[in-house]
Amino acid sequence: MALDGDKQDGVWKSGRGRGRATPKGRQLDDAAAADIAALLGDRPRRRDLLIEHLHLVQDAFGHLSAAHMKALADEMNIPMAEVWEVASFYAHFDLVREGETPPPALTIRVCDSLSCQIAGADALAQALSDGLSPSEVRVLRAPCMGRCDTAPVLELGHNHIDHATPAKVTEAIAAGATHPVIPDYEGLATYRAQGGYDTLVSLRDGGDWEQVQETLLSAGLRGLGGAGFPAGRKWGFVRGYPGPRYLAVNGDEGEPGTFKDRYYLERTPHLILEGTLIAAWAVEAERVYLYMRDEYPVSIEILRREIRALEDEGLVDKGFIDLRRGAGAYICGEESAMIESIEGKRGLPRHRPPYVAEVGLFGRPTLEHNVETLYWVARVCREGHEILSSVEKNGRKGLRSYSVSGRVRAPGVHLLPAGSTIRDIIEAAGGMLPGHAFKAYQPGGPSSGLLPASMDDIPLDFDTLQPHGTFIGSAAVVVLSDQDSARDAALNMLEFFEKESCGQCTPCRVGCEKAVKLMKADTWDRPLLEELCQAMADASICGLGQAAPNPIRSAIRHFPDEV
């Protein structure tokens, strides 16, 4: 096949007949091309910005039409199939083929994770579906939005409605309240007036990163995204590899029941940002990529404002902190999946080794930290290791931010000694709701399964729960009462994993689906479920599939009468 340049540029000749006037596949629409060129403006067309550019299109037009995606592919010089592959991976992108009807202008996402389910999310979603015109408003069920303390919750456009009711939704729609509401928070001027960034400036002027690392180790600070790896030790690993190096901040707090990162971001964002810049200084990172889940529009807007303020103040170079926006994929909380997403790809976990400390973002050594971890990096550096190491309870040292929700009087983030038991946590949360007796609890998100009320004397900390077949994870504590079903709770968790599996590996993709079907039977087939759990735990690529069996096993072990 050859291009016949004598007749007309772009006419392909096959040697048989007249050939094609255009290449195969979707043709570029001039109007769509103009839309995309105007939307992108002078933004770079780099491959890693694909998801950011998809957000621009989705936000501007309410969906991703085939014509706009083709134009975006052409503008970025990447295959249309690749654009479609990435966009279709993420829940918050609405792909519309030729001839299909775009979604309505307004979308309501009703959280259906455990805390919201027990607070009446099913009835809320049904009432909204029945009461609103589907041609004007789309009602979807969605995973955890990180607002479990105000369940049930929904997102109207980009505005979260706490303790949601149909009446509140109707009122908000009438008022056009579809944008995020920014709360009062500690801005840069207030933070600096209290000594904020003095530590960072001092370290930059001649600090010793190894001394700072030792301070973190003395404090006992561990990764607070769930893995619990000693935070300071990561620095030495990353610095051991030649540069350039990067820092990736994991703000994809998607574990149902977890909302501590959002809590701190919406109140004291500069503690996280100073901790981020200290960590970047320690590993000599050339750039920081701050990845925030799309379910946190308030946090994203606050960070956007305050990063700009830091640049204006001269504390960071323009563009040094690159704020990236997720698109509705729980799996991107896994560090390597997050890195794939930052690179503009599907959030598929990588096989390890190599680990991200050696081969991370763009193939370079990368330090990865959770948002709350960086909050404590700043505080430990400012206040000394004693702020954590001097606190002791039940033989455990440090403090833990417990995200507490469910059947308690005062749900929220409760900062308690790391050795606190579930009884201590319930007491800090105001006790059980009137008329509810404590029955069970989820100690660290659905990945941790369920424990019965009888196991109320275990310190909820790293390493203390493993002997009982569970773990603290991100300290997402959901309290259940005698009015709740452990069986239904376990099914809710597995349905979440089924929806959020990235699909890369068969044990997780198929295992979660089959588990949900088996759990819906009147009586569980325990031997078959255990065989399935073992296969998932042994053969899944990442922690999602490996931990998904925990709700099943814990329900069988602790609540056999219900299953």
Side-chain angles (χ1 to χ4, degrees), residues 39-40 43-44 46-59 72 76 86 93 290-292 300 304 322-327 341-342 344:
L39 200 57
L40 266 57
R43 292 179 174 85
R46 298 195 317 267
R47 174 63 183 78
D48 63 289
L49 292 172
L50 174 58
I51 294 173
E52 294 296 305
H53 295 343
L54 286 169
H55 274 304
L56 288 173
V57 181
Q58 173 81 31
D59 291 345
L72 181 61
M76 297 184 70
V86 172
F93 293 136
L290 207 168
Y291 187 89
M292 288 301 304
I300 291 171
R304 187 178 289 120
D322 192 338
L323 179 62
R324 294 297 180 90
R325 178 180 166 192
S341 190
I342 292 173

Side-chain angles (χ1 to χ4, degrees), residues 180-428:
V181 178
I182 309 301
D184 291 334
Y185 64 89
E186 184 179 67
L188 179 58
T190 303
Y191 185 71
R192 293 219 72 179
Q194 298 170 356
Y197 292 105
D198 289 352
T199 300
L200 173 68
V201 171
S202 175
L203 291 172
R204 284 176 172 175
D205 286 344
D208 182 348
W209 76 270
E210 290 180 309
Q211 185 177 6
V212 178
Q213 177 184 243
E214 187 57 40
T215 300
L216 295 182
L217 293 173
S218 298
L221 179 62
R222 297 171 67 168
L224 297 169
F229 191 83
R233 196 173 298 167
K234 282 186 175 182
W235 295 6
F237 291 155
V238 174
R239 282 194 65 121
Y241 297 107
R245 308 180 191 94
Y246 299 109
L247 168 60
V249 180
N250 193 335
D252 199 66
E253 181 182 50
E255 188 79 5
T258 312
F259 47 93
K260 59 186 178 58
D261 291 353
R262 178 188 63 80
Y263 176 88
Y264 290 121
L265 281 166
E266 293 182 2
R267 287 161 176 79
T268 55
H270 283 285
L271 271 171
I272 289 107
L273 289 170
E274 183 170 15
T276 297
L277 294 174
I278 290 171
W281 161 82
V283 299
E284 298 180 332
E286 292 205 355
R287 179 170 288 192
V288 172
Y289 290 87
L290 207 168
Y291 187 89
M292 288 301 304
R293 66 186 308 223
D294 198 32
E295 291 86 349
Y296 285 178
V298 171
S299 299
I300 291 171
E301 179 57 28
I302 289 173
L303 286 170
R304 187 178 289 120
R305 294 179 182 182
E306 298 311 308
I307 290 169
R308 190 182 305 121
L310 287 176
E311 293 172 346
D312 293 342
E313 191 86 358
L315 285 166
V316 294
D317 294 334
K318 186 174 179 59
F320 179 74
I321 302 177
D322 192 338
L323 179 62
R324 294 297 180 90
R325 178 180 166 192
Y330 163 75
I331 192 62
C332 290
E334 196 275 339
E335 62 178 7
S336 65
M338 175 190 68
I339 284 173
E340 289 286 299
S341 190
I342 292 173
E343 293 180 358
K345 305 171 187 174
R346 294 176 296 163
L348 299 180
R350 296 176 179 177
H351 292 270
R352 294 176 290 185
Y355 295 90
V356 299
E358 178 184 3
V359 182
L361 271 165
F362 311 113
R364 303 307 309 167
T366 302
L367 175 65
E368 185 268 348
H369 274 320
N370 162 263
V371 163
E372 193 201 352
T373 306
L374 293 165
Y375 168 92
W376 286 109
V377 166
R379 290 199 60 182
V380 168
C381 288
R382 287 178 62 176
E383 304 171 48
H385 68 84
E386 297 83 5
I387 189 173
L388 294 178
S389 62
S390 64
V391 180
E392 185 170 356
K393 183 169 186 171
N394 292 329
R396 311 299 299 177
K397 289 188 176 183
L399 293 167
R400 189 72 64 242
S401 301
Y402 295 101
S403 303
V404 187
S405 61
R407 307 296 194 179
V408 292
R409 292 175 183 265
V413 173
H414 294 276
L415 186 63
L416 301 172
S420 299
T421 66
I422 187 61
R423 290 290 181 185
D424 298 325
I425 292 169
I426 291 174
E427 181 181 355

Side-chain angles (χ1 to χ4, degrees), residues 494-515:
L494 261 294
E495 287 177 330
F496 168 77
F497 289 131
E498 179 189 20
K499 293 173 186 173
E500 294 299 323
S501 171
C502 75
Q504 180 180 189
C505 67
T506 303
C508 176
R509 180 185 69 250
V510 178
C512 289
E513 176 196 355
K514 299 303 180 187

